[in-house]
Amino acid sequence: MKTKRFTAEEAAQAAEILTSGGLLGIPTETVYGLGANGLDPEAVARIFAAKGRPQDNPLILHIPSADWLERYCEHVPEAACALAAAYWPGPLTMILERKPMVPDVVTAGLDTVGMRCPSHPVCRAILTAAGVPVAAPSGNTSGRPSPTTMADMLEDMDGKIEGIVDGGPCSVGVESTIVDLTVRPPRLLRPGGITLEQLRAVLGEVAVDPAVTRLMGAGEQPRAPGMKYRHYAPKAPVTVVRGDPAESARCIRRRIGDRDGVICFDEFAALFEGHPVETIGPKDDQSEQARRVFDALRAFDGTDAAQIWAQCPDPVGIGLAVSNRLNKAAGFHIIDAEAEP
Ligand code: TXA
Ligand code: MG
């Protein structure tokens, strides 16, 4: 199949791919998504095939406005309306009770469904033109880092989807925050563009699912099925070094082998001359780190580094999402710089 490239101005034309049962690469403010008509079970099934995605991993539905929640969700709680008023359109997915009309293939048979209203203007134009909820996971092959540009997505999906729309590089760079509103207290299942602090400002108490900060043991089930899979991982093993940036840089410097690569803050790149280095932005600019973290992981897929050492921001603000993605790429293999001799 030839994958047709659309410009941002051609969003409405591209949306016809969705309404005719095809797969469309869509830009969002978080990452590029692999979209299909969320009410068409056959089209949705093709998403799983194109990504090589396990069937038990549910998809989220993208809608153009919060008014659409009632169409697909039962008993929409006050908390959902409050979050939508505060942070939609934007990088936030809410888990809510589903209505029976949502196809089983979307929810992987769960009685809940993830709902998201994206802010990217091109995505909104596509959703409005399509007039259907769009089921869309991140546009990567299962297990690879999520794509934050059209070129990244084409690396994985060229020839496997009918079309893709170019919306430029993603402004957030990590996937949406997922909050489960079907449990009390509400629970953060995946950290993302809307911070835990922002959720708590609206909801009060918010629990953090253990899968966010540590590896799930055998027999343990994270509430977001996707959080149990090894993710974002380059071919070489990754070790995350946390702590004060100057300390973590020194710690990596001491341990690094000749053929090892480094993911580091801009300020420390010079320390690792002669090694493959990917920078993720200044140490104090977590938004920039979020925009660049997947690119850095993707870049290492193409190298023959023996292992990769990664500096990591503190887990506050959007730093929680950046550290979660790095920790997952490392299979939660983490060392503390300050604990070093
Ligand atoms: O930013 C994003 O959310 C991007 C863009 C394209 O919108 N999408 C995205 O989708 O990241 P995906 O499929 O790569 O990640 C969705 C996560 C998965 O871990 C999945 O298991 C979880 O959401 N999920 C989906 N429906 C769920 C449900 N009903 N209950 C719990 N977790 C759910
Ligand atoms: Mg994904």
Side-chain angles (χ1 to χ4, degrees):
M1 164 188 328
K2 184 153 169 43
T3 301
K4 187 166 162 48
R5 276 76 160 159
F6 294 92
T7 64
E9 292 70 33
E10 295 168 325
Q13 189 193 332
E16 288 170 22
I17 287 181
L18 294 171
T19 46
S20 57
L23 298 183
L24 182 68
I26 57 173
T28 85
E29 70 279 19
T30 58
V31 301
Y32 276 69
L34 175 48
N37 176 355
L39 301 178
D40 177 345
E42 275 170 39
V44 173
R46 291 187 52 214
I47 293 179
F48 289 85
K51 275 183 68 94
R53 180 173 175 109
Q55 298 286 339
D56 68 347
N57 195 359
L59 304 176
I60 61 186
L61 288 181
H62 297 68
I63 53 175
S65 97
D67 303 343
W68 285 37
L69 276 181
E70 301 278 350
R71 300 188 193 178
Y72 311 111
C73 303
E74 207 84 76
H75 310 124
V76 176
E78 186 49 42
C81 304
L83 281 179
Y87 304 125
W88 274 5
L92 175 67
T93 298
M94 303 187 227
I95 306 297
L96 297 164
E97 271 179 63
R98 67 184 274 208
K99 281 193 169 155
M101 71 174 299
V102 178
D104 281 337
V105 60
V106 170
T107 65
L110 297 178
D111 51 13
T112 57
V113 60
M115 302 296 298
R116 161 154 143 75
C117 175
S119 65
H120 194 300
V122 177
C123 185
R124 297 179 61 70
I126 295 168
L127 294 177
T128 305
V132 293
V134 173
S138 51
N140 50 287
T141 299
S142 227
R144 291 204 78 205
S146 300
T148 55
T149 64
M150 179 165 93
D152 283 353
M153 181 154 172
L154 283 169
E155 246 181 50
D156 288 11
M157 293 299 156
D158 202 7
K160 297 184 178 168
I161 59 179
E162 276 76 12
I164 184 168
V165 184
D166 192 357
C170 301
S171 61
V172 177
V174 290
E175 305 91 335
S176 63
T177 301
I178 303 180
V179 63
D180 187 348
L181 296 179
T182 68
V183 291
R184 263 170 202 266
R187 179 179 283 246
L188 176 70
L189 305 188
R190 179 176 72 182
I194 298 296
T195 65
L196 181 57
E197 295 82 352
Q198 285 176 298
L199 292 180
R200 287 182 172 148
V202 171
L203 299 174
E205 187 184 0
V206 177
V208 177
D209 199 73
V212 171
T213 49
R214 66 173 171 83
L215 205 58
M216 291 286 89
E220 270 185 306
Q221 279 295 346
R223 284 192 65 94
M227 293 291 274
K228 72 172 172 267
Y229 297 106
R230 181 151 189 254
H231 247 107
Y232 316 133
K235 291 175 190 108
V238 180
T239 301
V240 166
V241 184
R242 63 183 172 200
D244 172 77
E247 290 294 330
S248 62
R250 269 197 291 276
C251 173
I252 294 170
R253 185 71 230 138
R254 276 198 304 275
R255 292 171 163 242
I256 195 166
D258 286 346
R259 293 184 43 241
D260 294 357
V262 184
I263 293 173
C264 67
F265 303 126
D266 294 356
E267 292 88 338
F268 305 99
L271 278 180
F272 305 108
E273 237 182 72
H275 295 271
V277 173
E278 291 295 326
T279 55
I280 56 172
K283 65 180 170 53
D284 296 322
D285 188 347
Q286 295 186 333
S287 298
E288 180 66 8
Q289 294 160 23
R291 277 189 288 273
R292 282 162 63 180
V293 65
F294 281 137
D295 249 15
L297 290 168
R298 214 165 245 277
F300 272 114
D301 258 4
T303 74
D304 56 0
Q307 47 172 334
I308 298 158
W309 301 88
Q311 286 192 292
C312 184
D314 289 335
V316 293
I318 200 171
L320 180 62
V322 176
S323 73
N324 168 264
R325 303 311 189 271
L326 285 169
N327 290 343
K328 288 191 64 147
F332 288 90
H333 187 240
I334 305 166
I335 60 177
D336 276 306
E338 267 110 292
E340 288 287 291

